[in-house]
Amino acid sequence: MRVIFMGTPEFSVPVLEALAAQHEVVAVYSQPPRPAGRGKALRPSPVQARAEALGLPVRHPLNFKATEDREAFAALDADIAVVVAYGLILPQAILDAPKRGCLNIHASLLPRWRGAAPIHRAILAGDAETGICIMQMEAGLDTGPVLLRDVLAIGATETTGELHDRLSAMGARMICDALDRLDSLTPAVQPEAGVTYAAKIDKAEAKIDWSRPASELVRLVNGLSPFPGAWCEVAGERVKLLRAESVEGSGDAGTVLQGFDIACGTGALRVLQAQREGKKPMPSAEILKGLVLPARL
């Protein structure tokens, strides 16, 4: 098939690689390079960097409002477009241009967690499972009919980073399967019941309030790891907590019980991995060799 690929972050890279190995990728669309690092030099997206390494042409229009951008897209004469975490709402003219339309790889069990941050939100909400949906795109936000879906169980202490990688690999496998079976798949309209929206993560969510239940804070720590990272202050230093589990224990909220076990509003939380300012992530036992916890955080 002649495929247009549209994606931007690391999550999209395995999908691009899988498509390029089995189909003719006629163009890659990605968000433009952004300033990054201390020098704020322009840095291409992970998808652009990988596409260029594969020798694929890359385009990054700011949007598709310009007639020339729409015409250039249509002129590719693609059979289908595959979209995964691209970062732009596509106008109807773009959705209609490929012969077989546009397919989206979405990292949730639609209609649950439509929107920008489905992996984070699934863990934050305490969902037992999530998955991948291959969806026919339409004008609404993740509202299109679903061609394929598969389910993954979420581990008790699994982080967003780990789940991200598993779902990315699953999406790469499933989109190749979907393209192979495209003529035989029956689109399933999403039900109205069960719709939820995965709002973009706000960094203000990341500060830990020890008065909350331990179960909520464990989900917060694991759900915001590795980015943006839930955090608390320890002797004036901001420390990111990157993996946690619930444990037995009680006390005033924020009390250090033993090791890196902290009393919460109800129950207690054990920090399994953390990161000090300017340091690499470490297991809590290593962190505590150089970090003295006060009696209460």
Side-chain angles (χ1 to χ4, degrees):
M1 277 191 173
R2 289 176 59 83
V3 178
I4 296 171
F5 181 76
M6 309 179 81
T8 296
E10 195 65 45
F11 184 85
S12 310
V13 171
V15 181
L16 171 61
E17 292 174 335
L19 289 172
Q22 298 188 29
H23 296 275
E24 181 186 0
V25 178
V26 295
V28 173
Y29 281 74
S30 191
Q31 288 292 290
R34 309 290 190 196
R38 292 183 179 180
K40 297 300 180 183
L42 291 178
R43 180 181 298 171
S45 73
V47 162
Q48 179 177 343
R50 186 60 183 135
E52 290 174 345
L54 292 170
L56 299 173
V58 180
R59 301 176 180 182
H60 33 72
L62 292 176
N63 51 52
F64 286 97
K65 294 180 180 179
T67 301
E68 56 265 33
D69 289 332
R70 299 186 187 203
E71 291 177 346
F73 187 91
L76 291 166
D77 192 31
D79 294 307
I80 202 159
V82 172
V83 184
V84 52
Y86 176 41
L88 281 181
I89 300 296
L90 301 181
Q92 194 64 47
I94 296 299
L95 298 177
D96 293 341
K99 298 181 184 69
R100 307 294 295 269
C102 300
L103 297 185
N104 177 249
I105 302 171
H106 189 75
S108 81
L109 298 175
L110 293 167
R112 186 162 177 79
W113 302 129
R114 294 174 178 172
I119 304 176
H120 292 85
R121 294 298 174 192
I123 293 180
L124 289 170
D127 291 0
E129 61 184 23
T130 186
I132 289 287
C133 284
I134 307 296
M135 174 189 65
Q136 287 183 340
M137 294 184 70
E138 57 183 32
L141 178 63
D142 300 327
T143 58
V146 174
L147 292 172
L148 279 179
R149 69 171 59 222
D150 202 359
V151 178
L152 274 183
I154 300 175
T157 62
E158 188 165 18
T159 66
T160 284
E162 292 166 337
L163 187 56
H164 165 286
D165 291 350
R166 291 207 293 146
L167 288 168
S168 177
M170 175 184 274
R173 293 192 302 271
M174 287 177 65
I175 191 60
C176 292
D177 185 28
L179 294 184
D180 287 344
R181 299 166 51 202
L182 196 57
D183 291 330
S184 63
L185 294 175
T186 302
V189 175
Q190 293 184 39
E192 293 297 325
V195 173
T196 58
Y197 289 93
K200 187 177 179 180
I201 297 297
D202 188 326
K203 289 185 178 180
E205 298 178 63
K207 185 176 181 180
I208 291 177
D209 175 0
W210 294 110
S211 69
R212 293 170 61 183
S215 58
E216 289 185 12
L217 291 180
V218 167
R219 298 198 301 265
L220 181 74
V221 169
N222 296 334
L224 299 188
S225 174
F227 180 83
W231 62 274
C232 65
E233 284 194 1
V234 179
E237 178 184 347
R238 181 180 291 200
V239 177
K240 284 187 178 183
L241 309 185
L242 298 176
R243 192 190 304 273
E245 64 181 357
S246 293
V247 292
E248 296 293 328
S250 63
D252 292 337
T255 299
V256 178
L257 302 175
Q258 61 176 356
F260 219 143
D261 293 3
I262 314 297
C264 305
T266 55
L269 172 154
R270 174 170 294 162
V271 178
L272 301 174
Q273 186 182 43
Q275 182 177 12
R276 300 185 67 179
E277 292 180 343
K279 305 289 185 180
K280 294 181 179 180
M282 299 184 201
S284 58
E286 293 298 313
I287 288 277
L288 293 178
K289 289 179 181 179
L291 180 68
V292 179
L293 299 180
R296 187 169 178 177
L297 297 180

